[in-house]
Amino acid sequence: ESLNMKDLEWVCELKYDGLSISLLYEEGLLVRASTRGNGVVGDDVTSNIKTIPSIPLHLQGNDFPQEFEIRGEVVYPHKAFEEFNKKRIENGEEPFANCRNAASGSLKLQDPKEVAKRKLDCYLYFLIGDSIKEKKHYDRLRQAKRWGFKIAPYMAIATNINEIMDFINYWDKQRDNLPFDIDGIVIKLNDTNYWNTLGATAKSPRWATAFKFKAEQAKSK
């Protein structure tokens, strides 16, 4: 309503159930990784993040900005999580309850070598920087992929609410087939020129929203 336009595009993406991470690059090198924390202050986890193979320490190509930030989510793949829990049980230790808590706890460890053993993964979904040339969010992610970042293929451009709902309904049914946990869908306006126009509330941007799936339920004894 604020934009008063009909021809808008949205990018629909998976909402990863992991730990949010922010990566800072300078001249193509990873210089700092931090958790979201309380939204203002997070933990410096650079040493641990460097043990995740899907996070590039050196970017590919030469068309990246001198300095920029990219955000994403550290996830614990189901297969690696099950293998690690099996080892914990064999060692007489309590298994982790779920992938999200295990991913979060792993990044708080003091020993990067121990973090490396847990085989974490990371998907990036938000590129930030005044010198980013691409103005469409979807194009920015494609550019980030060329630089070496792991960008999930599970996203689509939508032009109306029906296409958005089709994406939501599809992944609500298919999420169990993914190699990691998700808890919803994130929808963002594709044109970043509108982001400043719309601004944000105290809690969230007006150019993006999240659709949360209902919690999965099961019977227990």
Side-chain angles (χ1 to χ4, degrees), residues 1-4 8 10 189 191-201 204-208:
E1 292 177 352
S2 299
L3 295 176
N4 194 28
L8 296 174
W10 291 268
L189 265 176
D191 194 331
T192 62
N193 289 316
Y194 297 141
W195 293 5
N196 288 334
T197 303
L198 294 176
T201 66
S204 61
R206 290 193 178 94
W207 44 265

Side-chain angles (χ1 to χ4, degrees), residues 9-11 13 125-126 137 186-190 195 207-208:
E9 290 182 339
W10 291 268
V11 180
E13 306 170 48
Y125 52 68
F126 189 25
H137 172 65
V186 178
I187 305 112
K188 305 170 186 172
L189 265 176
N190 194 19
W195 293 5
W207 44 265

Side-chain angles (χ1 to χ4, degrees), residues 87-98:
K87 291 180 181 178
R88 287 183 67 87
I89 294 173
E90 290 173 352
N91 294 332
E93 300 173 301
E94 281 289 323
F96 287 117
N98 55 63

Side-chain angles (χ1 to χ4, degrees), residues 20-167:
S20 297
I21 200 76
S22 172
L23 309 175
L24 178 65
Y25 284 80
E26 294 179 359
E27 298 182 352
L29 301 178
L30 175 63
V31 295
R32 187 176 68 243
S34 56
T35 62
R36 182 172 59 184
N38 61 8
V40 178
V41 178
D43 296 323
D44 187 326
V45 290
T46 308
S47 296
N48 288 340
I49 282 296
K50 287 182 176 181
T51 69
I52 301 177
S54 53
I55 296 179
L57 306 183
H58 308 269
L59 299 185
Q60 302 171 11
N62 55 12
D63 60 340
F64 42 76
Q66 183 175 1
E67 180 179 311
F68 69 92
E69 177 187 353
I70 188 166
R71 296 177 185 173
E73 198 96 354
V74 173
V75 297
Y76 212 144
H78 294 157
K79 184 178 179 180
F81 175 74
E82 291 168 3
E83 290 175 352
F84 191 75
N85 258 351
K86 183 179 178 181
K87 291 180 181 178
R88 287 183 67 87
I89 294 173
E90 290 173 352
N91 294 332
E93 300 173 301
E94 281 289 323
F96 287 117
N98 55 63
C99 295
R100 185 180 188 279
N101 290 348
S104 178
S106 297
L107 288 188
K108 295 178 181 178
L109 295 175
Q110 300 297 316
D111 186 1
K113 292 181 180 179
E114 185 63 31
V115 180
K117 295 178 183 178
R118 302 195 177 188
K119 300 179 182 179
L120 300 175
D121 203 353
C122 182
Y123 290 90
L124 287 306
Y125 52 68
F126 189 25
L127 188 61
I128 308 168
D130 295 334
S131 55
I132 304 294
K133 296 179 180 179
E134 301 289 355
K135 298 305 177 186
K136 296 291 183 71
H137 172 65
Y138 187 85
D139 293 338
R140 287 185 173 188
L141 294 183
R142 292 174 62 188
Q143 179 66 75
K145 185 176 181 180
R146 291 193 288 270
W147 294 337
F149 292 108
K150 189 168 187 177
I151 308 296
Y154 320 104
M155 60 181 182
I157 294 178
T159 58
N160 57 60
I161 188 63
N162 291 330
E163 293 177 358
I164 292 174
M165 291 309 302
D166 286 344
F167 187 89

Side-chain angles (χ1 to χ4, degrees), residues 198-216:
L198 294 176
T201 66
K203 294 183 178 180
S204 61
R206 290 193 178 94
W207 44 265
T209 191
F211 182 95
K212 295 271 292 216
F213 293 139
K214 291 182 179 179
E216 294 184 281

